[in-house]
Amino acid sequence: MSASATKKAVLYIFNTDLSYSTEDRLKEAVFSFLCASSSETTPHSLCDDTMLQICRTSLGKPYLPHLSGIYVSASHSGEYLLCAVSDTKIGVDIQRHERIKNETEDETNARLQKLSKRFFHPKEAEFITKQPWDRFFKVWTAKESYVKYTGEGITDNFMNFSILPGDCRILSEENDAKEFVRWSASDVCFHQIDFDQQYTVCVCTKELVNVHICRL
Amino acid sequence: MEENLFKFIEDAIYKITGQKGLVYDTDFVKDLGLTSFDVMNIVCVFEDHFDVEIPSRDVWKLRRVKDVIDYMIRKGLTDV
């Protein structure tokens, strides 16, 4: 991780369990984040349940009205619910790589390209024409993490911005396939996180952060 | 007519997600756990069938099956 990343973000990974709400899991994640950040010897004295209250904006973005300086975001797909907690504004998205039942590989690629032409910026749609299966989810989760970061959610503006590193600001890291995994675009930073090959995860923040993963 | 629209919605959701057992009050997120990706795929099914483009600002207001049925009737998307 870059030494210049001074902010911290933790991705808490939960297995999908309908007996817990997203709000329950966010509280659990925030509590863990504060415990890890605190020097107090009795973590339970850190805060009571009121302080961990999760509210939502009119557009559905979660926030902590009683804990300024702590930001949260959540996303679910398939087996997992992810809760991101940070000391900087954050958005997270996870997407399982899904094929429709009985769909051939060619049909899947055609569907993803159609989706990208319908919902993505033209540059993004062009980007995924090569390797649609991998690149579609990369772009999708980055765009979703961005609109969760801003709090606007998916609107008609979704196709008007590109998350691709158009000005070549790839932040040093590439994976084995030489695809960028940390980059900046649209005045934010994107971090693609590897933890399960069947999923793509992306985190969006204003600046570089150290992203840690924690399974609860 | 509503029953035909309901069947169309049910088939579209089954095609994309494999989920069944919808009722008129089924909430797409709370009851079916649909993600944005699922919703976008379902929107494409609708758009392909009716040869229309459904604005994103309309999509996110449609939280339940009956909301979609009402929307389809309002927009004249009834030829299923």
Side-chain angles (χ1 to χ4, degrees):
Chain A
M1 292 290 175
S2 166
S4 64
T6 57
K7 295 291 186 178
K8 177 186 168 187
V10 181
L11 276 188
Y12 294 93
I13 301 173
F14 299 91
N15 283 87
T16 300
D17 183 343
L18 295 179
S19 56
Y20 295 95
S21 67
T22 301
E23 269 67 14
D24 290 335
R25 292 308 202 189
L26 279 170
K27 285 184 180 179
E28 197 176 334
V30 171
F31 185 73
S32 293
F33 184 86
L34 293 174
C35 285
S37 305
S38 171
S39 58
E40 290 197 28
T41 55
T42 48
H44 289 282
S45 65
L46 271 176
C47 46
D48 58 32
D49 201 52
T50 306
M51 287 184 67
L52 296 176
Q53 182 188 10
I54 307 287
C55 290
R56 300 244 178 197
T57 66
S58 60
L59 296 176
K61 182 174 173 66
Y63 67 98
L64 296 149
H66 305 296
L67 281 174
S68 63
I70 302 294
Y71 303 86
V72 293
S73 180
S75 178
H76 77 95
S77 181
E79 303 165 54
Y80 301 113
L81 167 67
L82 262 56
C83 294
V85 186
S86 180
D87 53 3
T88 187
K89 193 172 162 188
I90 195 165
V92 67
D93 193 65
I94 178 173
Q95 182 59 53
R96 182 168 60 181
H97 305 163
E98 290 172 340
R99 292 186 194 279
I100 290 174
K101 193 178 172 183
N102 299 326
E103 200 177 47
T104 66
E105 188 175 324
D106 285 347
E107 287 169 339
T108 299
N109 288 340
R111 176 171 57 85
L112 295 180
Q113 293 199 48
K114 187 174 181 182
L115 277 172
S116 69
K117 283 177 185 163
R118 170 65 179 87
F119 295 110
F120 288 177
H121 187 278
K123 286 183 183 176
E124 294 166 341
E126 174 65 30
F127 174 71
I128 80 142
T129 53
K130 202 173 174 185
Q131 298 173 39
W133 179 248
D134 292 323
R135 289 185 171 185
F136 177 88
F137 293 110
K138 184 185 200 79
V139 173
W140 178 265
T141 55
K143 289 180 77 73
E144 276 264 45
S145 71
Y146 178 73
V147 297
K148 285 179 165 183
Y149 161 86
T150 63
E152 67 182 289
I154 298 179
T155 65
D156 294 324
N157 188 48
F158 199 65
M159 60 173 56
N160 293 331
F161 66 89
S162 169
I163 54 79
L164 292 176
D167 59 356
C168 299
R169 290 179 65 197
I170 293 173
L171 302 170
S172 79
E173 294 183 29
E174 294 178 337
N175 60 14
D176 290 339
K178 300 297 180 193
E179 289 272 319
F180 47 89
V181 292
R182 291 177 89 199
W183 71 99
S184 70
S186 298
D187 296 324
V188 295
C189 292
F190 295 97
H191 317 255
Q192 188 175 323
I193 309 296
D194 281 328
F195 85 97
D196 186 319
Q197 283 191 339
Q198 294 184 28
Y199 293 79
T200 298
V201 174
C202 191
V203 172
C204 177
T205 53
K206 179 65 179 173
E207 64 265 84
L208 269 182
V209 296
N210 288 319
V211 182
H212 303 272
I213 296 176
C214 178
R215 280 192 179 256
L216 291 181
Chain B
M1 176 172 59
E2 281 197 13
E3 279 186 18
N4 290 339
L5 299 183
F6 178 88
K7 181 77 170 54
F8 179 83
I9 296 165
E10 195 175 44
D11 288 347
I13 289 175
Y14 179 72
K15 177 184 175 182
I16 298 299
T17 72
Q19 296 197 68
K20 291 181 179 179
L22 275 62
V23 296
Y24 283 88
D25 279 325
T26 297
D27 186 296
F28 298 119
V29 175
K30 290 179 185 170
D31 298 324
L32 300 181
L34 298 192
T35 64
S36 306
F37 183 62
D38 295 326
V39 171
M40 291 295 128
N41 276 287
I42 294 165
V43 166
C44 278
V45 170
F46 276 69
E47 291 186 340
D48 282 349
H49 181 87
F50 294 107
D51 194 24
V52 296
E53 192 168 287
I54 302 173
S56 296
R57 62 179 175 274
D58 289 350
V59 170
W60 302 108
K61 293 177 189 171
L62 306 176
R63 303 201 177 268
R64 296 166 300 176
V65 170
K66 61 185 177 185
D67 296 333
V68 176
I69 292 172
D70 290 343
Y71 181 83
M72 291 172 77
I73 292 172
R74 277 203 314 276
K75 297 292 182 182
L77 305 175
T78 54
D79 184 14
V80 297

